Amino acid sequence: MSSADRPATRLATRLAFLVAGFGIACWAPLVPFAKTRLGVDDGVLGLLLLSLGIGSVVAMLLTGIVSARYGSRPIILAGGFGLALVLPLLAVASSPATLALALLAFGAALGSIDVAMNIHAVEVERAAARPLMSGFHALFSIGGFAGSALMTALLSLQFGTLACTLICSALMLIAMIMTWPRLLRNAQAQDGPLFVLPHGSVLLLALLGAITFLVEGAMLDWGALLVIGAGLVTEAQGGAGYIVFSIAMTMGRLGGDAIVARIGDRATLLWGSLIAIAGFVVLLTAPVAAVAITGFLLIGFGASNLVPVLFRRAARQTVMPTGLAVAAITTAGYAGILIGPAGVGFVAHLGGLPMAFWLLAALMGLVTLTARVVTADSRQTAAS
């Protein structure tokens, strides 16, 4: 599809990733306000937050089916505009039931755009005949930084939560209006089956996606507790490691397309996973805080381009329609983020948090061991 290789379609894809990252990040600073407004305890709040995950997972599964028939464009638009329109409802929901419904809709919008934008991205990258996926995913990270920073700044200036969400929603609406005319009109629409159970290489890709997303979720939820428990930092400094990890992930993805173009998908998976494993070793054996921070840095850099490569492989496999394969990987990855950190907690309860992180390093080793299998059909010639 030659029309896919245009600056306008690349811009539209980047804006979609930016809106998705921005939207979900806007919700995080609102959680304490929602808890206070509703007067619920942590247990009820946890159940309410589960609504977001349920909405996302269901929408991800349906998006793969719908996009197989109608393409990714209408789903990107529905998801992006949905995020913008539902966000203010999260600031005014006055009962647990209404907040649960709003979070369900917000999660559905997020899950929809998450799958559809990756389907769109693989088509744009395929037409360009050069790596672009890492750069697209970097925009999601940048959107996350921007959303959380803007929402936090507005709340710090004593804006009400509704006013804050309306401002952020307006920015998302502007971005989606810019995206609308630039999206591919027939990206990945096809006449094949609407549903295929994940099988063959797609199952492996989904497993690796779940592992990689699990590592990211574990760094967010458990990284600070690991270094605090080891006596390397105080509680006030516990978040420094995740900040470094996030910066490394973003910077790695901004430069990732150039790296992949030079060394290929296989080497990216192999060396990226090895660097991440080395980061775990450094983190878990660190005698002082500075060394531990280096471990966070290495894990972020190593893991940064693994997911973009997995989505690219989904576009190149032939055992399933691309849209359904991308949906399977996205859903598995999201399950890794939702369920994985709880699994880390379970292992930590049995054998300690360091043991749980050693297990994460071992799981990352599966990426190393399967790099050749995952890219067996690839054109691995590095760009000269």
Side-chain angles (χ1 to χ4, degrees):
M1 187 187 306
S2 61
S3 62
D5 186 21
R6 295 184 292 114
T9 58
R10 294 192 289 274
L11 174 61
T13 311
R14 293 186 179 103
L15 286 173
F17 275 83
L18 185 71
V19 167
F22 186 90
I24 187 60
C26 286
W27 159 239
L30 296 175
V31 174
F33 292 89
K35 180 182 178 182
T36 301
R37 185 174 67 252
L38 300 180
V40 297
D41 59 23
D42 290 341
V44 174
L45 181 63
L47 291 175
L48 290 173
L49 295 177
L50 187 60
S51 298
L52 190 151
I54 293 172
S56 294
V57 171
V58 172
M60 286 175 180
L61 294 173
L62 293 177
T63 296
I65 297 172
V66 176
S67 66
R69 178 66 71 229
Y70 301 105
S72 58
R73 182 176 184 265
I75 306 173
I76 291 174
L77 294 174
F81 283 115
L83 286 174
L85 295 176
V86 176
L87 179 62
L89 300 181
L90 303 179
V92 298
S94 57
S95 70
T98 55
L99 181 60
L101 289 174
L103 285 172
L104 195 70
F106 193 72
L110 178 65
S112 298
I113 192 173
D114 205 343
V115 174
M117 69 189 185
N118 276 292
I119 295 173
H120 193 274
V122 297
E123 187 65 29
V124 172
E125 183 186 66
R126 178 186 293 158
R130 67 180 187 278
L132 296 173
M133 193 65 71
S134 292
F136 292 149
H137 280 259
L139 265 294
F140 183 90
S141 300
I142 292 171
F145 281 126
S148 58
L150 178 58
M151 183 64 75
T152 301
L154 292 172
L155 291 170
S156 299
L157 292 173
Q158 304 303 312
F159 282 77
T161 54
L162 178 58
C164 294
T165 56
L166 289 174
I167 292 171
C168 292
S169 290
L171 293 175
M172 285 191 282
L173 288 173
I174 292 171
M176 289 308 301
I177 290 171
M178 293 176 61
T179 302
W180 192 338
R182 295 172 172 84
L183 290 169
L184 297 172
R185 295 187 178 275
N186 56 341
Q188 283 302 322
Q190 54 198 16
D191 296 323
L194 293 181
F195 179 76
V196 179
L197 285 174
H199 59 279
S201 61
V202 177
L203 275 178
L204 178 58
L205 291 170
L207 172 63
L208 299 182
I211 290 171
T212 308
F213 277 105
L214 165 58
V215 167
E216 187 172 350
M219 301 306 291
L220 171 62
D221 293 333
W222 294 102
L225 292 176
L226 178 71
V227 290
I228 292 171
L232 299 177
V233 300
T234 65
E235 289 186 359
Q237 300 169 328
Y242 184 73
I243 292 173
V244 171
F245 170 82
S246 298
I247 292 173
M249 284 278 288
T250 304
M251 297 303 295
R253 285 176 172 173
L254 286 173
D257 291 329
I259 293 172
V260 175
R262 176 167 292 275
I263 68 175
D265 286 350
R266 181 179 301 172
T268 301
L269 289 176
L270 177 64
W271 290 107
S273 57
L274 286 175
I275 291 171
I277 292 169
F280 275 109
V281 174
V282 171
L283 174 61
L284 290 164
T285 59
V288 295
V291 176
I293 294 299
T294 302
F296 281 104
L297 182 74
L298 290 173
I299 296 171
F301 272 128
S304 60
N305 292 300
L306 301 182
V307 167
V309 169
L310 295 178
F311 279 116
R312 183 178 302 113
R313 304 316 308 168
R316 295 188 181 183
Q317 55 78 38
T318 57
V319 300
M320 285 180 62
T322 299
L324 298 180
V326 170
I329 295 172
T330 307
T331 306
Y334 205 80
I337 290 179
L338 287 176
I339 302 172
V344 171
F346 178 74
V347 175
H349 176 72
L350 295 177
L353 196 51
M355 176 181 289
F357 270 69
W358 281 117
L359 180 59
L360 291 175
L363 289 174
M364 184 60 71
L366 291 177
V367 180
T368 307
L369 295 174
T370 59
R372 179 177 294 275
V373 175
V374 168
T375 58
D377 63 336
S378 175
R379 296 168 290 280
Q380 291 294 321
T381 304
S384 59

